[in-house]
Amino acid sequence: MSVNLSKGQKVSLAKRDGGQLTKVRMGLGWDAVKKKGFFGSRDQSIDLDASVLMFDASGALVDQVWFQQLRSKDGSVQHTGDNRTGAGDGDDESVRVDLTALPSRVTTLVCTVNSFTGQDFSQIANAFCRLIDETTETEIARYELSGSGRHNAQIMAKVSRDGAGWSMTALGVPASGRTFRDLLPAIASSR
């Protein structure tokens, strides 16, 4: 059963049977708002990009996975590819994480989304991120990226070591930037 998260809400990623998740997938989906014009409305393409940033306990960036680096250096995190339009149903971009293969020094994964083409969130509809248990294909948690506005990026969520397991916190922090690099100052202040 999936949990619909609100901004700031945290959920444990322990399984109901007491076990721990081993492999998860962060999915990102969106649709472009139709452009209204003199002759009616038309489709537009919006290139949102999902990124997962790996941090150590001191907050130092260890590695990143994004459209220009589809796999972490250690292979534990893998981006499935760049969707440049948002066309289609379901997840438009996904990042797979093998939690058991993450280096022990990685304590936090931060998931971001940014508009590489520069449109702001007022032009994006039905945007969401969700966390899926890869072993069962079960959705664990979903966060609606609501609150459209003039920002063109968002720090969506973080997945953190929580004792022997992991937890996910919905952040929903509006930001500006075309890539994750532009978001690093906002990430540092939201951690």
Side-chain angles (χ1 to χ4, degrees), residues 33-37 40-44:
V33 172
K34 290 193 181 286
K35 279 254 194 208
K36 294 182 181 174
S41 60
R42 62 179 171 83
D43 290 330
Q44 64 175 324

Side-chain angles (χ1 to χ4, degrees), residues 73 85 104 181:
K73 293 172 192 139
T85 65
S104 59
R181 287 187 182 108

Side-chain angles (χ1 to χ4, degrees), residues 5-62:
L5 297 176
S6 301
K7 185 175 180 174
Q9 188 177 3
K10 180 178 176 180
V11 62
S12 169
L13 300 183
K15 291 186 175 187
R16 290 179 188 256
D17 65 6
Q20 295 295 324
L21 289 174
T22 57
K23 295 183 180 185
V24 295
R25 183 175 73 242
M26 179 65 73
L28 169 67
W30 74 92
D31 295 315
V33 172
K34 290 193 181 286
K35 279 254 194 208
K36 294 182 181 174
F38 187 68
F39 297 107
S41 60
R42 62 179 171 83
D43 290 330
Q44 64 175 324
S45 292
I46 295 180
D47 182 8
L48 291 187
D49 292 318
S51 303
V52 172
L53 312 175
M54 303 161 66
F55 292 93
D56 67 15
S58 70
L61 182 63
V62 174

Side-chain angles (χ1 to χ4, degrees), residues 7 36 87 91 110 135 148:
K7 185 175 180 174
K36 294 182 181 174
D91 297 339
V110 176
T135 59
S148 64

Side-chain angles (χ1 to χ4, degrees), residues 60-164:
L61 182 63
V62 174
D63 202 354
Q64 64 278 332
V65 174
W66 60 309
F67 72 89
Q68 289 188 348
Q69 180 183 320
L70 297 178
R71 187 178 172 100
S72 62
K73 293 172 192 139
D74 61 31
S76 63
V77 182
Q78 183 174 349
H79 197 298
T80 61
D82 190 17
N83 178 325
R84 296 183 178 155
T85 65
D89 293 330
D91 297 339
D92 294 311
E93 291 195 11
S94 294
V95 180
R96 291 187 164 102
V97 180
D98 183 346
L99 295 170
T100 62
L102 279 171
S104 59
R105 70 183 182 135
V106 173
T107 59
T108 305
L109 304 172
V110 176
C111 306
T112 66
V113 59
N114 54 277
S115 173
F116 187 74
T117 46
Q119 292 100 330
D120 62 44
F121 272 66
S122 69
Q123 299 176 53
I124 299 165
N126 307 318
F128 65 87
C129 73
R130 65 189 191 122
L131 193 68
I132 298 108
D133 179 343
E134 279 264 283
T135 59
T136 63
E137 286 300 313
T138 304
E139 183 177 291
I140 302 161
R142 174 179 286 260
Y143 178 56
E144 300 295 330
L145 301 173
S146 58
S148 64
R150 301 319 260 169
H151 58 284
N152 66 356
Q154 194 165 118
I155 304 163
M156 297 185 304
K158 70 179 177 180
V159 176
S160 306
R161 288 191 193 270
D162 195 2

